[in-house]
Amino acid sequence: MVPRPPVTISTFKVSPGDVLTYSGSVKIGAVGNNLSATLKADASTITGTGTLKAEMAPVTTATVGATPLPTNGTGVVITSANNDNVVSVNVVFDFTKAPATNSSQDSQVDLTNFNVTLDQA
């Protein structure tokens, strides 16, 4: 797949089969004994209509340098070992082509206020 240039998220209209990727960096603050947290897309900051929001469940991955961080099914596992790490975060939004998604054809999703969160377990 050939990467496309960045889009203006507030005006971009997706088509079935499109994949949008958010990429950014965050500095982790994780101090404490036995600390565990999940770095993930904050679903509450994604708004929309119809079934499209549910169908394009975001997948979050992250690395420190070239080393991938482990995931737990909902996001990226962060521990106190990651304190002060600068983490490269990618969130992939996959707008599938599956026929079962016909009900979402006239739906909208708004990623303008999308955020990534770090939630302590």
Side-chain angles (χ1 to χ4, degrees), residues 10-58:
S10 61
T11 59
F12 185 76
K13 297 186 186 303
V14 297
S15 297
D18 282 349
V19 176
L20 298 179
T21 302
Y22 163 83
S23 297
S25 295
V26 295
K27 184 173 182 181
I28 301 296
V31 178
N33 295 327
N34 303 312
L35 181 74
S36 179
T38 301
L39 182 67
K40 63 183 179 179
D42 183 354
S44 71
T45 62
I46 303 169
T47 58
T49 62
T51 60
L52 184 58
K53 179 180 172 184
E55 291 175 2
M56 56 121 236

Side-chain angles (χ1 to χ4, degrees), residues 22 38-47 53 56 58-60 74-75 89 91 93 109-119:
Y22 163 83
T38 301
L39 182 67
K40 63 183 179 179
D42 183 354
S44 71
T45 62
I46 303 169
T47 58
K53 179 180 172 184
M56 56 121 236
V59 175
T60 305
T74 58
V89 181
V91 181
F93 299 91
V109 69
D110 185 350
L111 301 173
T112 306
N113 295 313
F114 161 73
N115 282 311
V116 174
T117 61
L118 181 61
D119 295 329

Side-chain angles (χ1 to χ4, degrees), residues 93-104:
F93 299 91
D94 187 353
F95 297 89
T96 182
K97 285 184 176 182
T101 66
N102 285 340
S103 64
S104 65

